[in-house]
Amino acid sequence: GVEATATSDAIVNEQTITALSDSAISGLLIALGVVTLLLAGVYWFRSRQAGLGALVVAPVGAIVLNTFGLMWIFGIPFDPITALVAALVVGVAIDFCIHLGERFVEDLSSADDVETALAQALRHTVAALAGAAATTSLGFSALTLGSIVPFARLGTVMIFAMLLSLLAIMFVLPAALVVYGRRRSTTDVADDDATERIGDTTADDPEGNLAPT
């Protein structure tokens, strides 16, 4: 018999978009997983704070998802060019998050409390990161002036991504760092109290004759 396959530009485009969507999502998850493991290892090696690696990466996933959300709101289609957004955003946004996270760790070791450490970290990083986001946005804005529509869309989407990255650095990551810093401070205080009680017990009973209560 004769087999016939219905096809058209609409069907081909739909299949292409579906394949790109699946590839973009799987690639994003793999990239975030690899980066998370890498940063967790680095922070564990440096300061025994592996959880900070995952905390720094978390806003990046939110930035990518919100970028895709803005694409949907403004009617920007998902095509082979805009599919590059996920990789570009991960590369740029993770750099911003690492800068703030690393500065926070440094300031936390010398500050009196978590809020002071965060204020110092923001004071030393936000201006530079805002300048980087602005210059990057201006660079991608050149694409929006071109006559090639897919590249113009890419420029617009990357401007969205840079603005979202800046908002995440100013509001989302700082809030997460405060929660993390407070929980870590509470754990450290509890550990210090336990160590102090053990030390007092040892001093009162150096030969270990007192029975535990």
Side-chain angles (χ1 to χ4, degrees):
V2 178
E3 293 184 0
T5 301
T7 184
S8 66
D9 290 340
I11 294 175
V12 172
N13 290 337
E14 182 67 23
Q15 291 178 343
T16 301
I17 292 174
T18 301
L20 286 172
S21 300
D22 295 340
S23 177
I25 293 174
S26 60
L28 174 63
L29 294 176
I30 292 173
L32 291 178
V34 171
V35 172
T36 300
L37 291 176
L38 178 61
L39 289 179
V42 170
Y43 281 114
W44 172 257
F45 179 77
R46 294 190 57 187
S47 56
R48 296 298 187 268
Q49 300 183 55
L52 191 58
L55 187 68
V56 168
V57 174
V60 179
I63 292 169
V64 175
L65 293 178
N66 281 281
T67 300
F68 287 151
L70 287 177
M71 287 175 57
W72 178 78
I73 291 173
F74 286 92
I76 299 176
F78 192 80
D79 55 34
I81 301 300
T82 53
L84 300 172
V85 167
L88 292 173
V89 172
V90 170
V92 175
I94 193 63
D95 188 39
F96 288 2
C97 293
I98 289 174
H99 272 80
L100 180 59
E102 183 65 19
R103 185 71 197 195
F104 175 76
V105 171
E106 293 180 1
D107 291 335
L108 186 60
S109 62
S110 58
D112 295 332
D113 51 49
V114 175
E115 289 76 11
T116 301
L118 180 62
Q120 293 176 352
L122 290 172
R123 184 167 59 250
H124 289 103
T125 56
V126 166
L129 295 177
T135 54
T136 304
S137 298
L138 287 175
F140 279 106
S141 67
L143 294 176
T144 65
L145 304 177
S147 59
I148 303 177
V149 176
F151 288 108
R153 291 169 179 165
L154 176 63
T156 301
V157 173
M158 285 306 300
I159 293 174
F160 291 159
M162 290 301 99
L163 294 176
L164 290 172
S165 298
L166 185 58
L167 291 175
I169 289 298
M170 296 178 63
F171 301 105
V172 179
L173 185 56
L177 290 174
V178 168
V179 174
Y180 175 84
R182 287 175 177 173
R183 291 188 62 180
R184 183 170 178 82
S185 298
T186 302
T187 302
D188 290 343
V189 169
D191 291 342
D192 291 341
D193 290 342
T195 302
E196 184 177 353
R197 287 195 298 270
I198 294 174
D200 293 341
T201 302
T202 303
D204 294 338
D205 184 24
E207 296 182 359
N209 294 321
L210 294 177
T213 58

